[in-house]
Amino acid sequence: MPDANLLKGNLDLILLSILEQGEMYGLEITKEVQAQSNDYFKFSLGSLYPALHRLEQAGQISGEFRTPERGGSPVKYYQLTENGKKALASKRQEFETFNTAIRNLWNAR
Amino acid sequence: MERTLNQYLRLATWGLPHKKKLEIQAELRGNIEILTLEYQVQGFSASESLSLALRDFGTPERVCVGMTKVYTMPILLRNIGLAVLLSSLGLGVLNSSSAQVSATNLFPNEICLTKQADRFKVNGRVFLCQSKWTAYIHLPSLEKTLEKLGVKVRRYSSAWKTTELLFPKAPRSIYIRRYSGPKILEYNNNDAPKAVAEGSFDYIDASDFFQQLSDSGLPITIKGWNYPKIGVGKTEFSLGENAQQLKGSFVIELLTRWSFHNFFGANLEFEPTYILKSDEKLFAVNDNRVQFKIRGGKVGDIYAVLTREEIEDIPQLPPSYAMGGKNMRRVFLQPLGKSLQLETYTRGKTLLPKSNAEQLAPVPVDGTGNVMVVRLTGRLDQFGKVFEIVPAKNIEVLK
C-alpha cells in the first residue's frame, strides 16, 4: 500500500487512468485498479465515490445510470469526458515530470 | 437487511441536497448490492454479506464527509454563517449515529473476535470441518447464534427431529465446548454480556457429530470423557483458510442428563434408577398395571414406571462415564414415546399419599418385559416448568 498522502495526491490520476480503458462503475473501478496494480492500490469504496463525484463535478468524467449485465439495481457507469482526457494528459505529464525530477535527484548522488 | 442498508445510505448522504442525496443513494445501493451478492456467492449469508459489503464501503460518515465536500460545502461556503451552524450540527448527528451503523458494529457483539494473521482463532487448535453436519438443536437462541455465524439451520420439526447444520463455504471459526453443568449454551465473549440459555444437545447425535470430527483426521481435543466418541472438552474448528472477519464463539454444552422440552412446557430430565428384569419376576401385574412399594418416599413424590418398550428404546450407550470427577451411572432414554407415557402417568393418581405407601402405577405393562421405576421430583404442575427424575431408591415391586 502506498503512503496515504501519496495515494490521495494521485487519486485523480489513478481514476482518470483507469477510466481511460473504458466506462466502469464504482465497484468495478476499485477492483480493476487493485488488480492492475497487483494489489498495490487498495482504496476504500467510501473514499472512491466522493472522488468520482468530484471529478464529475469538475466535468472530467460523466456518469450514467444503467442496469449492470448481471441485473439488479442500476449502477452509475463513469466514463472520461473530453475535459477528462485533457486533464489526464496533463496530470500524466505532470507526474512524469515530477518523477523524472525526483530520479534526477537520486541519480545526482 | 433492507433497514440496515437504508440506514447506511441515509447516513452516508446526510446533509446533501435532496436530489443529489437520492442519486447518490441509488448509486451506492447498486454497488453495495453487487458486492453483497459477491459475498453471498462466496458462501456468506445474506445478512453477513451485506455487513461485509458495508464494511468494504467504509463508514457512512466517511462517505458523507467526502460527499459533503463535493456538494454541500460549496453551497455552505457561500453562506458562512449557515455553514458553521450546519457543520457543527452535522457532526453531532453523525457522531451520535455512528455507533449504530458503523460497519464493524453491524456484527453482533457476541460474535466479534479479533482477527489473527490468517484466521480467527478463539482458543486451542483450529481445524477444518465438513460442510454439513447434523445435530439436534431446539434452541431458537442457538439457531440465531449459528445463523450469525453463517451456519444455516434447517429444522424439520419443532419437536425432536433432526436439525441440519449447513456450514457455509466461507471460512468460519466455531467454538464448541462441553461443560458439566446443566446449561447447554452460553455465549462466550469477554466483551459481551454473558447470556445463558437452557437447552439440550442430542447425546447420540453428538456422538455422531464428534465422530465425524474424529473421522476427518483433523486434530481434535477431547477432554473430560472416558467415552471418546462422545466427549469433547474444547473443540474448535475453522471451515477454511483465509478466515474472514466474521468470526464468533459460542458454547454448546453436551448435557450429561437427558432433557425434554415442550412437555407441558416443562423441562424434563430422566435418569434411570431402578431396572427390574423380567427373569427376576420382580414385578406383579395387576390389571395390566404394575404395583410397587416405596419405602422412604415423601408425600408429594411422584413415581413413574417405564415399560419394556421404553426400556428397549434406551440407546446402547456406555453405562457409565465420568462427569465432574465422579463416576455416575446413567442411561439415557429415547425421547420419542416417553413423553406420552409420562403424560399418562401424571394424569393418574400418582402422588404418593404417605410415606412407605404402596403405589399402583397406572402404567400398562404386558408382564413380560423389564420395568424401570423412576422418581420424579420438582414441581408437580402440568403447566409448570420443571420435572426431574432422580434415583428412586428403596423400591420394592410387589409380586
Side-chain angles (χ1 to χ4, degrees):
Chain A
M1 277 284 289
D3 176 75
N5 287 330
L6 199 59
L7 181 63
K8 190 176 177 183
N10 293 287
L11 184 57
D12 289 4
L13 177 59
I14 295 168
L15 294 178
L16 293 173
S17 298
I18 200 73
L19 285 174
E20 192 184 23
Q21 300 172 17
E23 63 173 14
M24 296 177 199
Y25 55 88
L27 188 60
E28 211 174 5
I29 291 171
T30 312
K31 289 183 174 179
E32 282 299 317
V33 167
Q34 189 172 331
Q36 292 181 30
S37 67
N38 293 323
D39 286 344
Y40 181 69
F41 293 128
K42 289 181 186 174
F43 40 77
S44 89
L45 290 159
S47 59
L48 169 73
Y49 290 95
L52 288 172
H53 280 250
R54 182 168 41 75
L55 289 173
E56 188 183 26
Q57 285 293 101
Q60 295 178 7
I61 60 174
S62 62
E64 180 192 5
F65 274 95
R66 244 185 7 254
T67 303
E69 287 180 4
R70 65 171 81 184
S73 299
V75 292
K76 194 173 182 180
Y77 283 86
Y78 292 96
Q79 60 182 359
L80 278 188
T81 62
E82 285 305 316
N83 275 345
K85 290 174 184 171
K86 289 176 189 170
L88 174 59
S90 168
K91 286 179 185 297
R92 187 177 282 156
Q93 179 62 43
E94 196 177 308
F95 182 82
E96 283 172 356
T97 305
F98 182 81
N99 191 27
T100 304
I102 289 287
R103 289 188 179 281
N104 288 340
L105 286 178
W106 293 338
N107 292 335
R109 284 185 294 180
Chain B
M1 259 183 62
E2 186 64 21
R3 189 179 170 189
T4 304
L5 178 56
N6 286 337
Q7 194 176 5
Y8 182 94
L9 295 175
R10 205 164 43 246
L11 285 172
T13 56
W14 186 90
L16 296 177
H18 183 67
K19 188 178 173 186
K20 194 52 72 178
K21 177 185 292 191
L22 296 180
E23 181 191 325
I24 294 171
Q25 284 186 358
E27 180 183 10
L28 292 176
R29 177 185 292 275
N31 283 272
I32 289 170
E33 284 180 1
I34 291 173
L35 192 55
T36 302
L37 193 63
E38 289 178 0
Y39 274 116
Q40 281 186 265
V41 170
Q42 290 177 38
F44 290 97
S45 70
S47 59
E48 283 177 295
S49 300
L50 176 61
S51 298
L52 295 172
L54 295 182
R55 179 210 59 181
D56 289 352
F57 268 72
T59 63
E61 295 90 326
R62 186 172 181 181
V63 180
C64 182
V65 169
M67 290 298 185
T68 302
K69 284 180 185 171
V70 177
Y71 294 110
T72 310
M73 290 306 284
I75 299 172
L76 295 181
L77 289 173
R78 287 199 290 269
N79 192 334
I80 298 298
L82 187 60
V84 170
L85 176 63
L86 288 183
S87 60
S88 60
L89 180 61
L91 286 174
V93 170
L94 291 176
N95 285 336
S96 66
S97 304
S98 61
Q100 300 169 20
V101 185
S102 69
T104 52
N105 284 342
L106 290 172
F107 297 109
N109 286 334
E110 66 266 25
I111 62 170
C112 289
L113 295 178
T114 305
K115 185 180 179 183
Q116 297 190 355
D118 63 339
R119 66 188 60 188
F120 282 75
K121 186 177 178 183
V122 181
N123 193 13
R125 286 178 285 184
V126 175
F127 55 91
L128 300 175
C129 77
Q130 298 176 9
S131 62
K132 178 180 172 181
W133 284 335
T134 303
Y136 285 109
I137 294 178
H138 302 277
L139 285 173
S141 57
L142 177 56
E143 286 187 15
K144 286 178 184 174
T145 303
L146 289 170
E147 284 170 358
K148 286 172 186 171
L149 292 165
V151 180
K152 188 178 290 182
V153 178
R154 286 184 185 165
R155 298 179 66 184
Y156 296 113
S157 167
S158 59
W160 291 89
K161 294 293 182 183
T162 300
T163 300
E164 273 187 359
L165 304 180
L166 300 175
F167 288 86
K169 297 174 190 172
R172 304 287 195 288
S173 283
I174 298 176
Y175 190 44
I176 293 181
R177 178 189 295 169
R178 182 188 70 81
Y179 284 102
S180 58
K183 299 295 190 295
I184 181 172
L185 167 69
E186 62 178 8
Y187 298 112
N188 184 24
N189 187 294
N190 293 332
D191 300 327
K194 193 173 183 181
V196 178
E198 287 189 350
S200 61
F201 196 94
D202 179 51
Y203 189 84
I204 302 171
D205 214 60
S207 167
D208 297 338
F209 184 83
F210 292 110
Q211 185 60 48
Q212 288 183 48
L213 290 180
S214 299
D215 293 342
S216 69
L218 297 163
I220 304 170
T221 303
I222 298 177
K223 296 178 182 175
W225 297 71
N226 61 5
Y227 187 60
K229 281 183 68 177
I230 301 174
V232 56
K234 292 181 180 179
T235 303
E236 183 183 31
F237 52 92
S238 169
L239 298 181
E241 299 295 328
N242 305 316
Q244 296 294 330
Q245 52 294 322
L246 182 60
K247 290 299 166 185
S249 72
F250 63 91
V251 176
I252 296 176
E253 285 187 11
L254 299 181
L255 290 183
T256 52
R257 284 174 293 180
W258 191 260
S259 281
F260 277 96
H261 286 271
N262 300 322
F263 178 71
F264 301 143
N267 177 16
L268 287 172
E269 293 189 348
F270 291 84
E271 182 171 341
T273 57
Y274 198 82
I275 297 180
L276 306 175
K277 296 180 181 178
S278 59
D279 56 0
E280 296 175 359
K281 297 181 180 177
L282 291 176
F283 63 94
V285 175
N286 180 2
D287 192 21
N288 287 336
R289 297 182 179 190
V290 67
Q291 195 170 11
F292 56 93
K293 187 175 182 179
I294 303 158
R295 295 192 181 93
K298 297 176 183 176
V299 174
D301 284 352
I302 310 168
Y303 287 84
V305 177
L306 307 181
T307 63
R308 183 186 68 163
E309 290 75 16
E310 292 163 340
I311 293 173
E312 285 177 347
D313 283 339
I314 295 172
Q316 296 302 309
L317 293 176
S320 66
Y321 55 90
M323 186 194 76
K326 296 179 180 177
N327 287 325
M328 302 178 71
R329 187 177 182 85
R330 283 172 175 162
V331 179
F332 292 81
L333 304 176
Q334 286 284 7
L336 297 176
K338 178 47 54 199
S339 59
L340 181 62
Q341 185 61 50
L342 285 173
E343 185 179 8
T344 301
Y345 186 74
T346 52
R347 281 177 180 169
K349 296 178 180 178
T350 57
L351 289 176
L352 190 66
K354 59 183 180 180
S355 297
N356 299 321
E358 292 182 2
Q359 179 77 27
L360 184 67
V363 178
V365 293
D366 59 11
T368 60
N370 298 337
V371 176
M372 183 166 67
V373 180
V374 295
R375 182 166 65 97
L376 291 84
T377 63
R379 271 189 293 158
L380 175 62
D381 180 1
Q382 291 192 349
F383 303 100
K385 297 298 180 186
V386 178
F387 285 98
E388 190 176 10
I389 291 178
V390 297
K393 298 177 181 176
N394 302 322
I395 296 174
E396 178 187 351
V397 176
L398 303 179
K399 295 181 181 178

